[in-house]
Amino acid sequence: VLICIRNVFLGSTFQASWFISANVLSGIIIYLTTRNTRKNLPVLLISGIVYVLCCLSSSYPTVTQLLGVEEFCDLCNIRSNFCVALIWCFIGKMFAEERITFGKKICIVGLSLSLTALFVERTLSVRYAGALFSSDFMVTFIPVVLFLFSLLIKADGMKLKYAVLLRNSSTLIYVMHYSIITVLEYLLPVSLATPLFIYTITSAGVLIISLILIWLSKISKLKCIRVLW
């Protein structure tokens, strides 16, 4: 029980579940610390610093070694717990309260520049800072998300026929994908367990299973399935 409680705060209770609990915990933390609007700036700074540490731990291992924080980041499992989500929950709250606004032209220019910066950061971190191609934390994600989301919410009148289906499927796909990967890696012979093959089978599998579950949930006697998402 204690291990499970620890994993809720500092890891996963099942494969790939860490970001679900991370969002829940970060949402609560951001709500409690920003009820007084005067505290927004300190919360932003702390969340930003924590996210930078997450980026250093994931994508800049040589830098964490130089700074002497490698053991601390590994001990706290900082890149796989609520620390990652603090900045994103804070940004989401600011968008929800309409405190982040950019003009359309600024969004386009800012997005172009931040995507370029992301490409440069990614290239340099892999080449010089010891990042792996699987490393998934970049500092420049923040401006990319800010300008991209700002641009998307300005698209008035946009209608997506399958938006609800995509929304419901996304939850199912997320919680299933890593379990399927684990099963495939265990069952498949080494010759077949290539990243591309596992990715293809996993993508097709989670999509088909999620669509089947959503279809089944429309049957009156099986509506309880909806609790899955």
Side-chain angles (χ1 to χ4, degrees):
V1 174
L2 292 177
I3 293 175
C4 184
I5 294 173
R6 182 201 66 187
N7 289 342
V8 168
F9 290 91
L10 299 176
S12 300
T13 51
F14 64 89
Q15 293 283 24
S17 70
W18 69 272
F19 200 64
I20 298 175
S21 57
N23 276 309
V24 173
L25 292 170
S26 294
I28 295 171
I29 292 170
I30 294 300
Y31 169 74
L32 293 175
T33 55
T34 58
R35 285 185 296 178
N36 183 344
T37 55
R38 290 175 296 178
K39 295 182 180 179
N40 280 344
L41 182 58
V43 174
L44 172 61
L45 291 175
I46 294 171
S47 300
I49 292 170
V50 170
Y51 181 73
V52 169
L53 284 175
C54 294
C55 292
L56 291 176
S57 178
S58 175
S59 303
Y60 296 88
T62 55
V63 177
T64 57
Q65 292 172 5
L66 290 173
L67 295 176
V69 296
E70 182 182 20
E71 291 186 7
F72 170 78
C73 291
D74 290 341
L75 179 65
C76 297
N77 195 25
I78 195 170
R79 60 183 178 271
S80 296
N81 59 40
F82 70 92
C83 295
V84 177
L86 288 171
I87 188 67
W88 303 118
C89 287
F90 180 86
I91 291 173
K93 183 176 185 292
M94 294 299 101
F95 271 115
E97 295 176 350
E98 298 183 348
R99 298 191 184 191
I100 299 177
T101 55
F102 298 110
K104 189 174 182 180
K105 290 183 179 179
I106 293 178
C107 287
I108 294 173
V109 173
L111 181 59
S112 301
L113 293 175
S114 56
L115 284 172
T116 302
L118 174 59
F119 175 78
V120 172
E121 182 188 11
R122 177 65 172 170
T123 302
L124 294 178
S125 64
V126 171
R127 185 171 298 179
Y128 300 110
L132 302 174
F133 281 103
S134 58
S135 300
D136 50 6
F137 291 94
M138 294 287 148
V139 176
T140 44
F141 280 163
I142 294 176
V144 168
V145 169
L146 283 173
F147 290 117
L148 178 58
F149 196 78
S150 294
L151 189 61
L152 289 174
I153 61 179
K154 293 180 183 300
D156 295 330
M158 180 183 293
K159 294 183 179 180
L160 297 176
K161 184 178 179 181
Y162 299 104
V164 176
L165 177 63
L166 291 172
R167 164 64 186 88
N168 294 337
S169 299
S170 65
T171 302
L172 294 169
I173 289 170
Y174 178 77
V175 298
M176 283 192 296
H177 80 280
Y178 210 99
S179 297
I180 292 179
I181 291 173
T182 302
V183 172
L184 289 175
E185 289 178 339
Y186 179 77
L187 293 178
L188 290 175
V190 177
S191 58
L192 283 178
T194 62
L196 179 60
F197 184 76
I198 290 177
Y199 169 80
T200 303
I201 298 300
T202 301
S203 299
V206 293
L207 181 59
I208 292 170
I209 294 171
S210 63
L211 292 176
I212 290 173
L213 289 172
I214 291 172
W215 175 74
L216 289 174
S217 70
K218 295 179 181 179
I219 300 173
S220 58
K221 293 183 179 180
L222 298 175
K223 286 184 177 180
C224 58
I225 294 176
R226 292 185 182 181
V227 299
L228 294 174
W229 65 86

